[in-house]
PDB file of all heavy atoms in Angstrom:
ATOM      1  N   GLU A 138      -1.028  13.441  -6.194  1.00 74.00           N
ATOM      2  CA  GLU A 138       0.139  13.731  -5.382  1.00 74.00           C
ATOM      3  C   GLU A 138       0.701  12.517  -4.627  1.00 74.00           C
ATOM      4  O   GLU A 138       1.793  12.572  -4.109  1.00 74.00           O
ATOM      5  CB  GLU A 138      -0.206  14.821  -4.341  1.00 74.00           C
ATOM      6  CG  GLU A 138      -0.621  16.109  -4.982  1.00 74.00           C
ATOM      7  CD  GLU A 138      -1.027  17.137  -3.940  1.00 74.00           C
ATOM      8  OE1 GLU A 138      -0.726  16.924  -2.745  1.00 74.00           O
ATOM      9  OE2 GLU A 138      -1.653  18.113  -4.303  1.00 74.00           O
ATOM     10  N   GLY A 139      -0.066  11.433  -4.551  1.00 72.00           N
ATOM     11  CA  GLY A 139       0.336  10.286  -3.772  1.00 72.00           C
ATOM     12  C   GLY A 139      -0.299  10.331  -2.385  1.00 72.00           C
ATOM     13  O   GLY A 139      -0.839  11.355  -1.955  1.00 72.00           O
ATOM     14  N   ALA A 140      -0.247   9.212  -1.714  1.00 75.00           N
ATOM     15  CA  ALA A 140      -0.896   9.100  -0.410  1.00 75.00           C
ATOM     16  C   ALA A 140       0.087   9.334   0.749  1.00 75.00           C
ATOM     17  O   ALA A 140       1.149   8.730   0.750  1.00 75.00           O
ATOM     18  CB  ALA A 140      -1.545   7.712  -0.254  1.00 75.00           C
ATOM     19  N   PRO A 141      -0.252  10.214   1.686  1.00 81.00           N
ATOM     20  CA  PRO A 141       0.609  10.396   2.858  1.00 81.00           C
ATOM     21  C   PRO A 141       0.400   9.234   3.823  1.00 81.00           C
ATOM     22  O   PRO A 141      -0.699   8.703   3.973  1.00 81.00           O
ATOM     23  CB  PRO A 141       0.139  11.723   3.437  1.00 81.00           C
ATOM     24  CG  PRO A 141      -1.268  11.803   3.056  1.00 81.00           C
ATOM     25  CD  PRO A 141      -1.418  11.090   1.713  1.00 81.00           C
ATOM     26  N   LEU A 142       1.470   8.874   4.503  1.00 88.00           N
ATOM     27  CA  LEU A 142       1.413   7.799   5.484  1.00 88.00           C
ATOM     28  C   LEU A 142       2.224   8.224   6.714  1.00 88.00           C
ATOM     29  O   LEU A 142       3.432   8.492   6.569  1.00 88.00           O
ATOM     30  CB  LEU A 142       1.981   6.527   4.917  1.00 88.00           C
ATOM     31  CG  LEU A 142       2.089   5.306   5.839  1.00 88.00           C
ATOM     32  CD1 LEU A 142       0.690   4.848   6.308  1.00 88.00           C
ATOM     33  CD2 LEU A 142       2.780   4.151   5.123  1.00 88.00           C
ATOM     34  N   GLU A 143       1.597   8.324   7.853  1.00 90.00           N
ATOM     35  CA  GLU A 143       2.269   8.725   9.084  1.00 90.00           C
ATOM     36  C   GLU A 143       2.807   7.476   9.757  1.00 90.00           C
ATOM     37  O   GLU A 143       2.062   6.543  10.043  1.00 90.00           O
ATOM     38  CB  GLU A 143       1.308   9.449  10.037  1.00 90.00           C
ATOM     39  CG  GLU A 143       0.849  10.762   9.467  1.00 90.00           C
ATOM     40  CD  GLU A 143      -0.106  11.489  10.422  1.00 90.00           C
ATOM     41  OE1 GLU A 143      -0.210  11.089  11.598  1.00 90.00           O
ATOM     42  OE2 GLU A 143      -0.710  12.468   9.965  1.00 90.00           O
ATOM     43  N   VAL A 144       4.141   7.459   9.998  1.00 91.00           N
ATOM     44  CA  VAL A 144       4.765   6.269  10.580  1.00 91.00           C
ATOM     45  C   VAL A 144       5.494   6.690  11.859  1.00 91.00           C
ATOM     46  O   VAL A 144       6.418   7.498  11.827  1.00 91.00           O
ATOM     47  CB  VAL A 144       5.802   5.677   9.577  1.00 91.00           C
ATOM     48  CG1 VAL A 144       6.468   4.434  10.187  1.00 91.00           C
ATOM     49  CG2 VAL A 144       5.113   5.341   8.270  1.00 91.00           C
ATOM     50  N   PRO A 145       5.059   6.100  13.005  1.00 90.00           N
ATOM     51  CA  PRO A 145       5.739   6.451  14.270  1.00 90.00           C
ATOM     52  C   PRO A 145       7.012   5.637  14.443  1.00 90.00           C
ATOM     53  O   PRO A 145       7.087   4.477  14.050  1.00 90.00           O
ATOM     54  CB  PRO A 145       4.706   6.040  15.323  1.00 90.00           C
ATOM     55  CG  PRO A 145       3.918   4.952  14.670  1.00 90.00           C
ATOM     56  CD  PRO A 145       3.890   5.263  13.211  1.00 90.00           C
ATOM     57  N   ASP A 146       8.010   6.240  15.013  1.00 87.00           N
ATOM     58  CA  ASP A 146       9.253   5.538  15.373  1.00 87.00           C
ATOM     59  C   ASP A 146       8.944   4.663  16.554  1.00 87.00           C
ATOM     60  O   ASP A 146       8.409   5.150  17.559  1.00 87.00           O
ATOM     61  CB  ASP A 146      10.365   6.546  15.714  1.00 87.00           C
ATOM     62  CG  ASP A 146      11.662   5.879  16.022  1.00 87.00           C
ATOM     63  OD1 ASP A 146      11.762   5.232  17.100  1.00 87.00           O
ATOM     64  OD2 ASP A 146      12.603   5.972  15.195  1.00 87.00           O
ATOM     65  N   PRO A 147       9.230   3.340  16.473  1.00 83.00           N
ATOM     66  CA  PRO A 147       8.875   2.457  17.577  1.00 83.00           C
ATOM     67  C   PRO A 147       9.578   2.801  18.895  1.00 83.00           C
ATOM     68  O   PRO A 147       9.067   2.459  19.962  1.00 83.00           O
ATOM     69  CB  PRO A 147       9.281   1.082  17.084  1.00 83.00           C
ATOM     70  CG  PRO A 147      10.064   1.264  15.855  1.00 83.00           C
ATOM     71  CD  PRO A 147       9.867   2.665  15.361  1.00 83.00           C
ATOM     72  N   GLU A 148      10.737   3.469  18.838  1.00 88.00           N
ATOM     73  CA  GLU A 148      11.466   3.775  20.054  1.00 88.00           C
ATOM     74  C   GLU A 148      11.099   5.132  20.630  1.00 88.00           C
ATOM     75  O   GLU A 148      10.924   5.308  21.837  1.00 88.00           O
ATOM     76  CB  GLU A 148      12.965   3.674  19.806  1.00 88.00           C
ATOM     77  CG  GLU A 148      13.414   2.266  19.499  1.00 88.00           C
ATOM     78  CD  GLU A 148      14.885   2.194  19.152  1.00 88.00           C
ATOM     79  OE1 GLU A 148      15.636   3.144  19.412  1.00 88.00           O
ATOM     80  OE2 GLU A 148      15.273   1.131  18.602  1.00 88.00           O
ATOM     81  N   THR A 149      10.986   6.126  19.759  1.00 91.00           N
ATOM     82  CA  THR A 149      10.775   7.514  20.271  1.00 91.00           C
ATOM     83  C   THR A 149       9.313   7.957  20.141  1.00 91.00           C
ATOM     84  O   THR A 149       8.923   8.920  20.809  1.00 91.00           O
ATOM     85  CB  THR A 149      11.654   8.516  19.484  1.00 91.00           C
ATOM     86  OG1 THR A 149      11.186   8.552  18.112  1.00 91.00           O
ATOM     87  CG2 THR A 149      13.111   8.119  19.534  1.00 91.00           C
ATOM     88  N   GLY A 150       8.564   7.342  19.258  1.00 87.00           N
ATOM     89  CA  GLY A 150       7.188   7.761  19.003  1.00 87.00           C
ATOM     90  C   GLY A 150       7.102   8.958  18.025  1.00 87.00           C
ATOM     91  O   GLY A 150       6.024   9.335  17.644  1.00 87.00           O
ATOM     92  N   ALA A 151       8.261   9.508  17.651  1.00 91.00           N
ATOM     93  CA  ALA A 151       8.255  10.595  16.668  1.00 91.00           C
ATOM     94  C   ALA A 151       7.653  10.101  15.347  1.00 91.00           C
ATOM     95  O   ALA A 151       7.907   8.979  14.904  1.00 91.00           O
ATOM     96  CB  ALA A 151       9.669  11.103  16.452  1.00 91.00           C
ATOM     97  N   VAL A 152       6.833  10.953  14.747  1.00 92.00           N
ATOM     98  CA  VAL A 152       6.157  10.553  13.522  1.00 92.00           C
ATOM     99  C   VAL A 152       6.847  11.119  12.290  1.00 92.00           C
ATOM    100  O   VAL A 152       7.173  12.303  12.240  1.00 92.00           O
ATOM    101  CB  VAL A 152       4.675  10.999  13.544  1.00 92.00           C
ATOM    102  CG1 VAL A 152       3.966  10.748  12.221  1.00 92.00           C
ATOM    103  CG2 VAL A 152       3.923  10.312  14.687  1.00 92.00           C
ATOM    104  N   THR A 153       7.107  10.265  11.311  1.00 92.00           N
ATOM    105  CA  THR A 153       7.633  10.674  10.012  1.00 92.00           C
ATOM    106  C   THR A 153       6.500  10.491   9.009  1.00 92.00           C
ATOM    107  O   THR A 153       5.819   9.461   8.986  1.00 92.00           O
ATOM    108  CB  THR A 153       8.847   9.798   9.608  1.00 92.00           C
ATOM    109  OG1 THR A 153       9.856   9.935  10.600  1.00 92.00           O
ATOM    110  CG2 THR A 153       9.381  10.264   8.227  1.00 92.00           C
ATOM    111  N   ILE A 154       6.308  11.484   8.154  1.00 91.00           N
ATOM    112  CA  ILE A 154       5.277  11.372   7.135  1.00 91.00           C
ATOM    113  C   ILE A 154       5.933  11.060   5.788  1.00 91.00           C
ATOM    114  O   ILE A 154       6.844  11.782   5.348  1.00 91.00           O
ATOM    115  CB  ILE A 154       4.444  12.662   6.998  1.00 91.00           C
ATOM    116  CG1 ILE A 154       3.779  12.986   8.344  1.00 91.00           C
ATOM    117  CG2 ILE A 154       3.412  12.530   5.872  1.00 91.00           C
ATOM    118  CD1 ILE A 154       3.064  14.327   8.365  1.00 91.00           C
ATOM    119  N   TYR A 155       5.542   9.941   5.204  1.00 90.00           N
ATOM    120  CA  TYR A 155       5.989   9.545   3.884  1.00 90.00           C
ATOM    121  C   TYR A 155       4.867   9.793   2.894  1.00 90.00           C
ATOM    122  O   TYR A 155       3.700   9.707   3.209  1.00 90.00           O
ATOM    123  CB  TYR A 155       6.332   8.057   3.862  1.00 90.00           C
ATOM    124  CG  TYR A 155       7.548   7.665   4.679  1.00 90.00           C
ATOM    125  CD1 TYR A 155       7.401   7.323   5.995  1.00 90.00           C
ATOM    126  CD2 TYR A 155       8.814   7.678   4.112  1.00 90.00           C
ATOM    127  CE1 TYR A 155       8.511   6.969   6.781  1.00 90.00           C
ATOM    128  CE2 TYR A 155       9.934   7.334   4.860  1.00 90.00           C
ATOM    129  CZ  TYR A 155       9.787   6.975   6.199  1.00 90.00           C
ATOM    130  OH  TYR A 155      10.862   6.659   6.927  1.00 90.00           O
TER     131      TYR A 155
END
Side-chain angles (χ1 to χ4, degrees):
E138 299 176 15
L142 176 64
E143 295 181 12
V144 180
D146 182 288
E148 294 176 15
T149 67
V152 173
T153 302
I154 301 174
Y155 291 91

